[in-house]
Amino acid sequence: MSRLVLKFGGTSVGSLERIEAVAEQVMALRSLGHQLVVVVSAMAGETNRLVEMAYRLSATPNPRELDMLMATGEQVSMSLLATVLSARGCPARSFTGGQAGIVTSSVHGGAMIENIDTAALEANLAEGAVAIVAGFQGCDAMGEITTLGRGGSDYTAVALAAALAADECQIFTDVDGVYSADPRIVPSAVRHDCIRFTDMLAMAEHGAKVLQYQSVHSAYELNVPLRVLSSFTAGHSTLVTFDHLCPVKPIAGLAGVAQLLITIPSKYLIEFRTNLTELNLQFQLLQEQADDVTLIVCDSDEGKIPLELKQRIRHIIKVFTLSIVGQSAETIRHHAIEALSLQGIAVHQYSLADSRLSLTVDSDDYPQAATLLHEKFVVCDEFIDNAPLLAVS
Amino acid sequence: MSRLVLKFGGTSVGSLERIEAVAEQVMALRSLGHQLVVVVSAMAGETNRLVEMAYRLSATPNPRELDMLMATGEQVSMSLLATVLSARGCPARSFTGGQAGIVTSSVHGGAMIENIDTAALEANLAEGAVAIVAGFQGCDAMGEITTLGRGGSDYTAVALAAALAADECQIFTDVDGVYSADPRIVPSAVRHDCIRFTDMLAMAEHGAKVLQYQSVHSAYELNVPLRVLSSFTAGHSTLVTFDHLCPVKPIAGLAGVAQLLITIPSKYLIEFRTNLTELNLQFQLLQEQADDVTLIVCDSDEGKIPLELKQRIRHIIKVFTLSIVGQSAETIRHHAIEALSLQGIAVHQYSLADSRLSLTVDSDDYPQAATLLHEKFVVCDEFIDNAPLLAVS
């Protein structure tokens, strides 16, 4: 018998039929004798629906009230799941974040979990009942409802798994594991049975969407093994675990993130830098050339750049930064750039870090570049281990 | 400066535009210097939407989980109202039932308010902020979320008004007060500026929909004056107050309730009586005639009568029981029956009680009978006070 924390995201509980399917999965695991805590997100689209109402009423909704509003999304899905389980004879009880004992900081919209009083959940598990917990939310020390920010339900699941000393934290999503690249872009991507935390952290940090960086980082810090499974198809999964427990792969995978290359006259650099820093926008200074300077910002931040700064921009290029992650990543830099250039794909910049090689290409070149790099360097372990590096072309 | 508890029902907060209109009304009252606690229902249709989801998942949803689910409806509307007020510079803060200190019994779906710890609300009012409270909900002593049953938001408002020693509890609805009859049926119905609790209780008990009997009764017991106002049009209102504070009207009004006259063979009476009692259905034994017996049940209970009992029924007639309420109600019995019969309207039965005359007519005759009785006896105070009774025809 294991103690498991399961987490089902918004798509997994996106309709009443999906909630019934989740109930089946929960009951199947319970019938194996496992103790279960189930963390649920809001039904897909519900958080957006709520947030849109608030933004129609105010351009800058009061953060406390926004949390009060958003927290209802998970409360609906948790009570519906508990309703199905009860109706099918499986003892189950839902808990809001506050009722589950999740105490957070008081930062509305981005609270951190400070403490979990597991008494109520432990009592529930001792009775043999499944505990359903609203993800993404908690209460601060004053009893105010807080939310945990993006990826918050994964964070809830990881923190609960640590506090309850669970054997695994299982993240149910719409894919059946962690792949060596995004399968929608790179059809030859392969699923890992096991991936080391070090590699998973790098993948998540550089664009892999299957797991959020913060929750992987929390799991790593809190010593919680993560398993990624599909809530739609049973069978496969990927275990994210500690490095000494997982065989080394020279290259673990390829992740990509959409960015913008912004070129401005050098004289505006200070103004730009000050403004972006004040707005808390991540940016990276790329190069100075003649009187121009080039910066990289995240594609999704485009709308946040103030109009007066936009007027300074000389030109913008949409790019993708592809990151090859794994112990051998640094060794293939020359080969990777050469392979891309042979296909006529220009590399705007590259960067090397501990077990990672990142290459920035035009947005239009992204699928071809990703597929090429994946086939040459990710699924070709033999090459990296055995073949002389110069043989690559 | 007064301290007021305002209550806005589902239609009053039924859209974002309506919530903005409510915010305007709240701010107008605040600008007069009043201390305000605002109780809100769920947006119109929202509770039904939630409950329907639960019933699609289970024929008998777990009552605890149903409360957990339904409670989100008011949490949404309260946070949206607080969002608008904050955005417009009016300090405001929303409170779930539990956060407002409302402690209830543990009866899910029909909890009673046992105690209100007003500390959080008092602190909020002392800061000069408007308190927005989710109606219809509370927490039991164990912190479990409960709901208060039908009319629950009015009940919340009345109980808060009592606990906070408010000067008035103002119920905002879709009509601008209490009328002498339902204006949709009786166009000549007139609005009262003031109505005595005794009359209002009788009106609510016998079919007036403007206020729920339970909340009027609570207000009466808790010494809370009620005011009924429109959330759509400003200006008029009705104050429901203690008898010594309101001028006597010989006849205060006319209310009607849809019922069924059910005739069964006498030999099935015991079976019927036992079954209806077990099902907690209200019924009234009307008459025995030859081998038959006639009962009255509420029209809305028709679906709850078990099939095996329905097969025993000889015939069913849809009727309305009209109740004339007021100190002089008993004195007009003969005139009322005579007036109806002169118009060819049969009275199936009548009953007299303290300050009330009830007459049961065919459903088809209801609008004509109501208008006739209203014109002859309700808006004609002069007649009752001055004219000899026999002059009526």
Side-chain angles (χ1 to χ4, degrees):
Chain A
M1 189 196 79
S2 299
R3 175 176 280 193
L4 304 176
V5 174
L6 319 177
K7 180 260 170 175
F8 292 91
T11 316
S12 301
V13 295
S15 67
L16 297 183
E17 292 69 31
R18 288 296 316 143
I19 290 173
E20 289 179 309
V22 167
E24 294 291 336
Q25 284 179 295
V26 169
M27 290 175 74
L29 281 169
R30 186 165 177 273
S31 71
L32 299 175
H34 299 311
Q35 281 192 331
L36 302 177
V37 173
V38 183
V39 175
V40 291
S41 300
M43 295 170 78
E46 181 63 5
T47 304
N48 282 349
R49 184 183 77 87
L50 294 167
V51 169
E52 271 169 27
M53 286 199 290
Y55 276 90
R56 278 178 55 197
L57 294 172
S58 168
T60 52
N62 181 299
R64 175 188 184 274
E65 301 300 336
L66 197 57
D67 274 1
M68 206 69 122
L69 181 67
M70 287 195 293
T72 64
E74 284 74 22
Q75 192 167 327
V76 167
S77 48
M78 77 180 192
S79 55
L80 291 176
L81 179 56
T83 298
V84 185
L85 288 169
S86 295
R88 299 187 179 188
C90 172
R93 177 179 286 253
S94 72
F95 296 82
T96 63
Q99 289 175 335
I102 298 172
V103 182
T104 73
S105 64
S106 300
V107 182
H108 287 293
M112 299 297 292
I113 297 176
E114 293 183 339
N115 181 40
I116 300 182
D117 176 353
T118 58
L121 294 180
E122 288 286 4
N124 186 77
L125 292 174
E127 283 173 18
V130 176
I132 320 285
V133 180
F136 180 65
Q137 62 176 254
C139 274
D140 73 5
M142 304 293 290
E144 294 283 344
I145 293 173
T146 54
T147 66
L148 308 176
R150 231 182 125 206
S153 291
D154 285 7
Y155 180 22
T156 300
V158 167
L160 282 174
L164 293 162
D167 298 282
E168 266 184 23
C169 178
Q170 301 193 337
I171 310 286
F172 286 77
T173 177
D174 50 1
V175 289
D176 62 355
V178 179
Y179 278 71
S180 56
D182 184 340
R184 290 166 301 183
I185 306 295
V186 179
S188 57
V190 291
R191 188 183 48 74
H192 292 292
D193 287 325
C194 180
I195 186 170
R196 302 153 70 97
F197 264 112
T198 322
D199 291 334
M200 189 65 238
L201 281 166
M203 294 274 284
E205 190 177 3
H206 294 94
K209 296 202 175 56
V210 61
L211 289 174
Q212 271 256 299
Y213 177 80
Q214 273 305 335
S215 49
V216 182
H217 194 259
S218 301
Y220 177 66
E221 286 206 318
L222 296 168
N223 265 304
V224 174
L226 283 179
R227 189 180 293 277
V228 179
L229 312 87
S230 167
S231 64
F232 296 86
T233 55
H236 299 304
S237 67
T238 296
L239 181 66
V240 185
T241 190
F242 298 91
D243 293 4
H244 63 283
L245 298 173
C246 188
V248 179
K249 295 207 80 159
I251 302 292
L254 181 76
V257 63
Q259 294 175 319
L260 300 172
L261 280 190
I262 294 178
T263 304
I264 53 166
S266 302
K267 59 182 170 183
Y268 297 132
L269 180 58
I270 294 173
E271 182 186 350
F272 245 79
R273 199 200 296 251
T274 312
N275 268 277
L276 296 182
T277 307
E278 277 172 6
L279 289 166
N280 215 6
L281 295 185
Q282 297 288 320
F283 67 96
Q284 190 189 335
L285 207 59
L286 192 55
Q287 57 189 357
E288 257 187 284
Q289 200 173 336
D291 291 338
D292 284 350
V293 62
T294 304
L295 304 100
I296 294 187
V297 300
C298 192
D299 180 55
S300 57
D301 286 341
E302 186 172 8
K304 299 178 195 161
I305 301 172
L307 193 62
E308 58 270 28
L309 285 190
K310 280 193 175 154
Q311 288 165 344
R312 307 264 189 251
I313 293 172
R314 206 183 285 282
H315 54 259
I316 289 192
I317 313 174
K318 283 190 182 286
V319 294
F320 259 86
T321 294
L322 286 158
S323 295
I324 297 170
V325 166
Q327 287 193 346
S328 303
E330 295 176 46
T331 66
I332 58 169
R333 165 170 52 126
H334 292 297
H335 311 296
I337 295 173
E338 190 184 2
L340 290 172
S341 104
L342 282 171
Q343 297 292 323
I345 298 172
V347 174
H348 288 283
Q349 70 136 355
Y350 71 87
S351 66
L352 281 173
D354 193 27
S355 304
R356 172 180 59 82
L357 164 65
S358 294
L359 301 151
T360 303
V361 300
D362 277 349
S363 190
D364 291 342
D365 291 331
Y366 167 55
Q368 194 196 347
T371 304
L372 178 71
L373 293 174
H374 184 267
E375 282 173 7
K376 276 213 183 300
F377 304 108
V378 183
V379 287
C380 269
D381 289 357
E382 303 82 3
F383 155 69
I384 292 167
D385 291 338
N386 308 323
L389 288 179
L390 289 175
V392 185
S393 70
Chain B
M1 188 198 78
S2 299
R3 175 176 279 194
L4 304 176
V5 174
L6 320 178
K7 181 261 171 174
F8 292 90
T11 316
S12 302
V13 295
S15 67
L16 297 183
E17 293 68 32
R18 287 296 316 145
I19 290 173
E20 288 179 311
V22 166
E24 293 292 336
Q25 283 178 296
V26 169
M27 289 175 74
L29 282 169
R30 185 165 178 273
S31 71
L32 300 174
H34 299 311
Q35 280 192 332
L36 301 177
V37 173
V38 184
V39 175
V40 290
S41 300
M43 295 170 78
E46 181 63 6
T47 304
N48 282 350
R49 185 183 75 87
L50 294 167
V51 169
E52 271 169 27
M53 285 200 291
Y55 276 89
R56 278 178 58 196
L57 293 172
S58 168
T60 52
N62 181 299
R64 174 188 184 273
E65 301 300 336
L66 197 57
D67 274 1
M68 206 68 122
L69 181 68
M70 287 194 293
T72 63
E74 285 74 23
Q75 192 167 328
V76 167
S77 49
M78 77 180 192
S79 55
L80 291 176
L81 179 56
T83 298
V84 185
L85 289 169
S86 296
R88 299 187 179 186
C90 172
R93 177 179 286 254
S94 71
F95 296 81
T96 63
Q99 288 175 336
I102 298 172
V103 182
T104 73
S105 64
S106 300
V107 182
H108 286 294
M112 299 297 291
I113 297 176
E114 293 184 338
N115 181 41
I116 300 183
D117 175 355
T118 58
L121 294 180
E122 287 285 5
N124 187 78
L125 293 173
E127 283 175 18
V130 175
I132 321 284
V133 180
F136 179 67
Q137 62 177 252
C139 274
D140 73 4
M142 303 293 290
E144 294 282 344
I145 293 173
T146 54
T147 66
L148 309 176
R150 230 182 126 205
S153 291
D154 285 7
Y155 180 23
T156 300
V158 166
L160 281 174
L164 292 162
D167 297 282
E168 266 184 22
C169 178
Q170 302 193 337
I171 309 286
F172 287 77
T173 177
D174 49 1
V175 290
D176 62 354
V178 178
Y179 278 72
S180 57
D182 184 340
R184 289 166 302 182
I185 306 295
V186 181
S188 57
V190 291
R191 190 183 48 74
H192 293 292
D193 287 324
C194 180
I195 187 170
R196 302 152 70 97
F197 263 112
T198 322
D199 291 333
M200 189 66 238
L201 281 166
M203 294 276 282
E205 190 177 2
H206 293 93
K209 295 200 176 58
V210 60
L211 289 174
Q212 271 257 300
Y213 178 80
Q214 272 305 334
S215 50
V216 182
H217 194 258
S218 301
Y220 177 66
E221 286 207 317
L222 296 169
N223 264 305
V224 174
L226 283 179
R227 188 179 294 277
V228 178
L229 312 88
S230 167
S231 64
F232 296 86
T233 55
H236 299 303
S237 67
T238 297
L239 182 65
V240 185
T241 190
F242 298 90
D243 293 4
H244 63 280
L245 298 175
C246 189
V248 179
K249 296 207 79 154
I251 301 293
L254 181 75
V257 63
Q259 294 176 318
L260 299 172
L261 280 190
I262 295 179
T263 304
I264 52 166
S266 302
K267 59 182 169 182
Y268 297 133
L269 179 58
I270 294 173
E271 182 186 350
F272 245 80
R273 199 201 294 252
T274 312
N275 268 279
L276 295 182
T277 306
E278 276 173 7
L279 289 166
N280 215 6
L281 295 186
Q282 298 288 321
F283 66 96
Q284 190 189 334
L285 207 57
L286 192 56
Q287 58 188 355
E288 255 187 286
Q289 201 173 336
D291 291 336
D292 284 349
V293 61
T294 303
L295 303 100
I296 294 187
V297 300
C298 192
D299 180 55
S300 58
D301 285 341
E302 185 173 9
K304 298 179 195 161
I305 302 172
L307 193 63
E308 59 270 26
L309 285 191
K310 280 194 176 155
Q311 289 165 343
R312 307 266 189 250
I313 293 174
R314 207 184 283 282
H315 55 259
I316 289 192
I317 312 174
K318 282 190 182 285
V319 295
F320 260 85
T321 295
L322 285 159
S323 295
I324 296 170
V325 166
Q327 286 193 347
S328 304
E330 296 176 48
T331 65
I332 58 169
R333 167 168 53 126
H334 291 299
H335 310 298
I337 295 173
E338 190 183 3
L340 290 172
S341 103
L342 280 171
Q343 296 292 320
I345 298 172
V347 174
H348 289 282
Q349 72 136 356
Y350 71 88
S351 67
L352 281 173
D354 192 26
S355 305
R356 173 180 57 82
L357 163 66
S358 294
L359 301 151
T360 302
V361 301
D362 276 348
S363 189
D364 292 342
D365 292 331
Y366 167 55
Q368 196 196 341
T371 304
L372 177 71
L373 293 174
H374 185 266
E375 283 174 7
K376 277 216 182 295
F377 304 107
V378 183
V379 287
C380 271
D381 288 359
E382 303 81 4
F383 155 69
I384 292 168
D385 291 339
N386 308 324
L389 289 180
L390 289 177
V392 184
S393 71

